[in-house]
Amino acid sequence: MYQVEAGSALRNAIRAVGWRCGAGRVSRNVLALGLTSLLTDISSEMVATVIPVYLVLHLGLTPLHFGVVDGLYNGATAVLRLVGGAVADRWRRHKAVAAVGYGVSAACKVGLLASGGVWPLIAGVVAFDRAAKGLRGAPRDALISFSSPQANLAMSFGVHRMFDATGAMLGPLAALLVLVMVPNGFDLVFAASFSFAVVGVAVLVLFVENVQGSLGAASLARVSLAVRPLVDTVGFFKLIVAASLLSLATVSDGFLYLLLQQQAGFNAGLFPLLYVGTAGSYLLLAVPVGAFADRIGRRTTFVYGYTLLALVYLAAFNQGSTGVGMVLCLALLGGYYATTDGVLMALASAMLPANVRGTGLAVLATTTSLGRLVASLVFGGLWTAYGPVVSCLSFCAALLVAIGLAAVALRGIPSNG
């Protein structure tokens, strides 16, 4: 009885807050999706923040080995992103497809417990977990766009990413707390992660509505797995090209954090705090940057947000050994996420018709994920062969070139899609 009353109270609270935020241009459905992401990100980041130190410092793998695992982490979403977006569009069941993805991801935490420290098994579980994330990503973002006024898409995505960042900040702290209480207690981290994931799935099922975009009967009948409507969407192909170029020069956070840890020489048990710093910066900037992008232009904000990442590369190997330099790196990295992640989804959502929006967001996320997979493998190889300084400088130069090419590729498309 008390559980039912508590559930009703939470539902009413979400609705009340959503109504008040609705007057401020953010719907309650976005808030419910944000709460789901918050809980799920606590779960995911508890694992993600210990994987680099677990593999490289605890199991003794090389940066190239970590590059393989990290590449799978970023690239395994590819196929199921497309499946998730297309199926959700075809059957108009964005919530159901997202719920399957969240549920499978939760189950993968049990797989990590069963891996026994065997790194190929860990890589396989991580790949499956990321594939499940791919399945849910596009339907979830489509639901956010369907639940938001078009003029304020970046604001809505910024609010959702604020919840994301909160989870990303709390997850590492939870992992750190476990490791402080139980040194090398990685199994306990995985078990706690599973618990948060289950609660996140419950919030999605109970409180998120399956909102649909505005479709006429004829448009609804034509919903299919075909990508022709995406090709016909003005500017969308240019956006894919630009985002793909930028992703090929995007270094994984895990590599940057490993570099900071090696230069500063701090205790490996404090490694999760690096994720907390980035998430804290992202949390503070996500909403104001989203509102800023809606006002001055999402295209400009997205492309030039990557200059912050270039500064991170320079600061990582040049100042990472000092406390000020480390704080600067984490603040810039959070700023980079605030200006690119949700802003890209808002820019694409404004371009895409409702009947293929999930598919289009999936295609965009897939191409950038594959780009990051390649980037992780190349960066890991460069680090193993030539060291971290050469790797950072090479990727910084590549990113600056990619920013210029992306700006040219997006020339002529509307700044807000």
Side-chain angles (χ1 to χ4, degrees), residues 66-79 81 126-127 130-131 133-134 247 250-255 337 365-377:
F66 175 68
V68 172
V69 176
D70 191 74
L72 289 171
Y73 188 88
N74 286 297
T77 61
V79 175
R81 276 189 190 276
V126 166
R130 294 302 91 186
K133 181 178 181 180
S247 69
T250 301
V251 176
S252 162
D253 294 355
F255 277 120
Y337 279 118
T366 295
T367 55
T368 55
S369 293
L370 291 175
R372 290 191 179 98
L373 184 154
V374 174
S376 288
L377 295 176

Side-chain angles (χ1 to χ4, degrees), residues 12 17 23 34 48 51 65 88 130-131 166 180 209 221 231 245 274 309 342 356 400 410:
N12 292 335
V17 173
I51 284 292
H65 284 126
R130 294 302 91 186
T166 302
V180 167
E209 299 177 15
V231 177
L245 287 170
L274 299 176
L309 184 60
V356 291
L400 292 175
L410 293 176

Side-chain angles (χ1 to χ4, degrees), residues 144-296:
I144 294 172
S145 69
F146 294 150
S147 304
S148 309
Q150 182 162 325
N152 304 301
L153 278 171
M155 164 77 82
S156 293
F157 277 100
V159 169
H160 176 266
R161 269 39 175 191
M162 178 190 69
F163 279 97
D164 258 349
T166 302
M169 184 170 62
L170 295 176
L173 290 174
L176 178 62
L177 179 62
V178 172
L179 293 178
V180 167
M181 295 176 62
V182 183
N184 296 323
F186 294 102
D187 285 350
L188 290 177
V189 172
F190 300 149
S193 171
F194 171 71
S195 300
F196 280 107
V198 170
V199 178
V201 174
V203 170
L204 175 70
V205 172
L206 293 174
F207 303 117
V208 174
E209 299 177 15
N210 188 46
V211 180
Q212 299 182 14
S214 300
L215 288 174
S219 296
L220 183 59
R222 289 196 297 269
V223 173
S224 70
L225 300 180
V227 297
R228 179 61 185 272
L230 302 180
V231 177
D232 293 339
T233 299
V234 176
F236 185 65
F237 179 74
K238 291 182 177 180
L239 183 61
I240 289 178
V241 171
S244 299
L245 287 170
L246 292 166
S247 69
L248 286 169
T250 301
V251 176
S252 162
D253 294 355
F255 277 120
L256 295 173
Y257 297 154
L258 284 171
L259 178 59
L260 291 176
Q261 191 276 333
Q262 288 189 7
Q263 288 197 348
F266 59 81
N267 190 297
L270 300 177
F271 195 81
L273 290 179
L274 299 176
Y275 290 83
V276 174
T278 298
S281 173
Y282 190 9
L283 171 63
L284 292 174
L285 295 173
V287 175
V289 167
F292 177 78
D294 283 331
R295 182 176 295 273
I296 67 103

Side-chain angles (χ1 to χ4, degrees), residues 104 192 226 238 288 301:
V104 172
K238 291 182 177 180
T301 303

